Amino acid sequence: MFSTYPGQVVVDHPVSVPIEHRFDPYVDNGGTLLSIAGEDFCIVAADTRQSEGYSINSRYVPKSVKLSDKTVISMGGCYADCLTLTKKIQQSMEWYHHAHGKTMSTAAVAQMLSIMLYQKRFFPFYSWCILGGLDEEGKGAVYTYDPVGSYERESCRCAGSASSLIQPFLDNQINFKNQESQRKQLTKDQVIRITKDSFTSATERDIYTGDYLEIFVITSKGVEVQKMDLKKD
Amino acid sequence: MFRNQYDNDISTWSPQGRLHQIEYALEAVKQGSASVGLRSKTHVVLLALKRSSGELASHQQKLFRIDNHMGIAIAGLVSDARVLSNFMRTECMKSKMMYDRPMPGSRLVSMIGDKAQANTQNYGRRPYGVGLLVGSYDEDTGAHLYECLPNANCLEYVAVSIGAKSQSAKTYLEKFAKDFDETDADGLIMHGLHALRETLQQDKELNMDNCSIGVVGKDKDWELIEGDRLKAYLDQLESGAATTETGAGEAMDTE
């Protein structure tokens, strides 16, 4: 029935076995985020469900934060780490403003975030970051990160629990990858529609995604926030 | 007044019960160019006269933002002011991080007082050579104006002035102080400019280069008004000069 191996002892009564406890500081609070860069705008969208395993902690905890009129950051993963990392970024931006009398540009924040993440290379922030905003020329910019600071500017990126569901859809609909059809610049409304469809679909299949969707729209006029419902099951 | 045998270091009292080093530090504040502060129930306005070392030089910055709800005007050693303003900025950020609310002005001013006092009781140190006018707006207690000096005295005021010829500004402010509570921000600025003008030397005048205004208050984050944006206020000061001529004449007493 059960195979035995050298040293194994089979008994007919319960035994106690030492359980190894290790320092386990990370928790995955789930959720999905995405950001898409347009010609003169940028979208940063994230669901608002915060979970732990099969439980929901809250239906409305925003994952995105407005850093300035030109820059929004969104983070997924361990919410505690995301929260503190956001505060660190905001403080650094405040010091920059004190020293230089102006707001940090999106590219400068992007570089700084990479440095901040790598400074904790050996006890990382468990944060999947996406930085969205307008660059110095007014064009949309999206910067993607891994938890230790590797970063890259892209045209669109999705991160979090449903990223593997949404990213291929974005590759197809935003970047027209592997298609013969004509590439065209998408308008802001088209991108917002694609974003909403991405999240409603992800909500269907990913248990960690749902409740509400918050979309930050960054244009030269500033940052506007839209909120819509997602399925709550 | 100077060259006593009891003024070599901070930890020596004089037989008259004075610490001369502190008094010398206060002199450094009096030598700086004038800064004026005044407040209503809802707003605090800080004004300063910026000095320049020559025709080709820039004018020294005198107003510093500490946080959205707080700013300072200085008189005296600018390098000491930088150190203190960095300390204030750090403390404001720490307070926001810890308690999720803006730092109350009174609390920060107490911390500055403690910091300044340490320099008056430790051998080998020297008092800070800068006076601060701290303007802050707290959500629950309203607008506040504080004066922090090297002697570690931090007092709250309705209106105050420090620096060179500041007594002339104080005399003007004392005359109109009872109106300040109900005055709007622009009204406070005009009163402040009148007060600041009193501190000028005979042949000098306020212009867009040597003047600096800071405003903070209810629903108003700290804003610095400098350069071209001063034009409107300075023009109003000029045109209003005729009506306050008598007032200015009375305030012009000997220094």
Side-chain angles (χ1 to χ4, degrees):
Chain A
M1 236 192 351
F2 301 110
S3 60
T4 55
Y5 49 84
Q8 185 183 35
V9 174
V10 181
V11 297
D12 59 358
H13 58 84
V15 290
S16 63
V17 173
I19 301 174
E20 189 186 342
H21 285 110
R22 298 160 66 217
F23 179 52
D24 190 16
Y26 295 120
V27 154
D28 186 357
N29 294 119
T32 310
L33 35 138
L34 75 73
S35 183
I36 300 168
E39 179 62 35
D40 58 353
F41 64 90
C42 185
I43 307 290
V44 177
D47 75 322
T48 63
R49 174 176 289 176
Q50 193 193 94
S51 36
E52 236 173 281
Y54 286 114
S55 305
I56 293 180
N57 286 344
S58 169
R59 295 201 185 275
Y60 184 72
V61 174
K63 291 191 200 23
S64 311
V65 172
K66 173 184 161 185
L67 298 175
S68 74
D69 283 334
K70 294 183 294 194
T71 319
V72 172
I73 189 149
S74 195
M75 298 187 199
C78 174
Y79 186 70
D81 280 357
C82 297
L83 199 57
T84 301
L85 182 57
T86 305
K87 288 181 186 178
K88 269 171 67 89
I89 296 172
Q90 287 173 318
Q91 286 188 346
S92 294
M93 288 178 76
E94 176 117 1
W95 277 117
Y96 183 99
H97 194 280
H98 279 136
H100 301 101
K102 61 177 184 170
T103 318
M104 273 183 92
S105 66
T106 306
V109 177
Q111 172 71 5
M112 183 180 75
L113 176 55
S114 168
I115 303 293
M116 267 185 190
L117 288 167
Y118 198 81
Q119 280 172 341
K120 292 224 339 133
R121 173 67 176 79
F122 300 110
F123 183 12
F125 284 109
Y126 189 78
S127 304
W128 299 94
C129 301
I130 301 185
L131 185 74
L134 298 178
D135 66 11
E136 289 301 276
E137 292 167 8
K139 296 199 172 76
V142 170
Y143 293 91
T144 331
Y145 296 80
D146 78 353
V148 286
S150 161
Y151 85 113
E152 188 185 11
R153 181 172 175 179
E154 294 183 291
S155 54
C156 82
R157 168 62 62 183
C158 177
S161 48
S163 59
S164 46
L165 279 68
I166 300 179
Q167 189 66 43
F169 176 63
L170 296 180
D171 289 340
N172 180 279
Q173 291 292 307
I174 308 278
N175 293 322
F176 303 100
K177 285 268 173 69
N178 306 309
Q179 286 172 256
E180 295 292 346
S181 53
Q182 293 283 47
R183 280 149 209 267
K184 49 183 159 56
Q185 281 291 357
L186 294 166
T187 66
K188 187 172 58 138
D189 289 329
Q190 284 174 314
V191 169
I192 293 178
R193 273 201 296 270
I194 291 174
T195 303
K196 289 180 179 174
D197 287 343
S198 304
F199 272 91
T200 47
S201 307
T203 305
E204 287 294 314
R205 295 291 181 177
D206 178 33
I207 61 171
Y208 302 110
T209 305
D211 293 329
Y212 300 100
L213 171 64
E214 245 180 10
I215 306 178
F216 283 66
V217 184
I218 309 150
T219 59
S220 55
K221 292 192 180 61
V223 178
E224 179 209 319
V225 185
Q226 295 178 20
K227 185 173 155 189
M228 68 169 248
D229 284 82
L230 294 173
K231 277 173 72 172
K232 293 166 176 44
D233 65 353
Chain B
M1 185 190 172
F2 306 110
R3 292 284 92 229
N4 302 318
Q5 45 181 233
Y6 304 106
D7 66 353
N8 280 323
D9 55 64
I10 190 68
S11 47
T12 305
W13 288 98
S14 82
Q16 289 78 35
R18 291 152 68 170
L19 289 167
H20 287 293
Q21 281 294 308
I22 296 183
E23 292 171 28
Y24 299 163
L26 288 168
E27 267 309 302
V29 176
K30 289 184 198 151
Q31 297 293 339
S33 67
S35 288
V36 168
L38 58 161
R39 69 152 173 88
S40 67
K41 280 207 176 69
T42 55
H43 290 82
V44 188
V45 173
L46 299 175
L47 306 95
L49 197 59
K50 294 193 286 189
R51 231 177 233 165
S52 117
S53 57
E55 283 276 325
L56 302 169
S58 59
H59 291 76
Q60 175 59 55
Q61 190 190 357
K62 298 259 290 175
L63 261 44
F64 297 88
R65 172 177 170 269
I66 301 298
D67 201 342
N68 284 336
H69 68 298
M70 193 186 301
I72 61 171
I74 66 163
L77 262 54
V78 190
S79 38
D80 282 2
R82 233 185 79 80
V83 162
L84 281 174
S85 67
N86 275 346
F87 168 74
M88 292 172 80
R89 286 165 176 169
T90 309
E91 290 305 317
C92 277
M93 282 190 218
K94 280 161 74 175
S95 192
K96 222 189 297 194
M97 176 81 130
M98 282 275 252
Y99 304 109
D100 199 23
R101 57 104 184 90
M103 164 77 92
S106 54
R107 193 165 301 190
L108 185 57
V109 158
S110 295
M111 292 170 89
I112 295 171
D114 291 341
K115 210 166 148 63
Q117 193 280 339
N119 285 13
T120 66
Q121 208 175 0
N122 290 317
Y123 180 74
R125 303 191 63 119
R126 63 159 178 84
Y128 287 109
V130 65
L132 307 178
L133 296 181
V134 182
S136 82
Y137 181 78
D138 302 332
E139 221 34 65
D140 40 5
T141 56
H144 295 279
L145 172 65
Y146 304 95
E147 181 198 47
C148 300
L149 292 176
N151 54 13
N153 280 350
C154 297
L155 227 49
E156 185 168 2
Y157 284 82
V158 166
V160 69
S161 170
I162 54 176
K165 301 184 96 226
S166 56
Q167 185 52 52
S168 314
K170 272 191 209 163
T171 313
Y172 175 93
L173 292 170
E174 276 168 20
K175 207 195 290 280
F176 293 95
K178 60 184 176 334
D179 302 330
F180 291 163
D181 250 0
E182 304 303 321
T183 312
D184 67 355
D186 279 341
L188 288 177
I189 292 176
M190 292 318 301
H191 275 302
L193 284 171
H194 275 106
L196 197 61
R197 195 167 57 170
E198 302 296 322
T199 69
L200 288 166
Q201 288 168 322
Q202 285 290 57
D203 53 339
K204 299 277 190 288
E205 52 166 34
L206 290 176
N207 59 48
M208 296 190 291
D209 290 324
N210 67 5
C211 194
S212 191
I213 305 177
V215 191
V216 67
K218 187 171 167 59
D219 301 326
K220 182 157 182 61
D221 286 347
W222 168 265
E223 187 195 359
L224 193 61
I225 305 174
E226 283 186 323
D228 292 332
R229 296 185 51 215
L230 288 168
K231 193 171 184 324
Y233 296 107
L234 293 175
D235 287 345
Q236 206 183 331
L237 184 69
E238 276 303 306
S239 61
T243 53
T244 57
E245 208 40 75
T246 47
E250 282 173 57
M252 201 61 86
D253 48 78
T254 52
E255 256 283 285

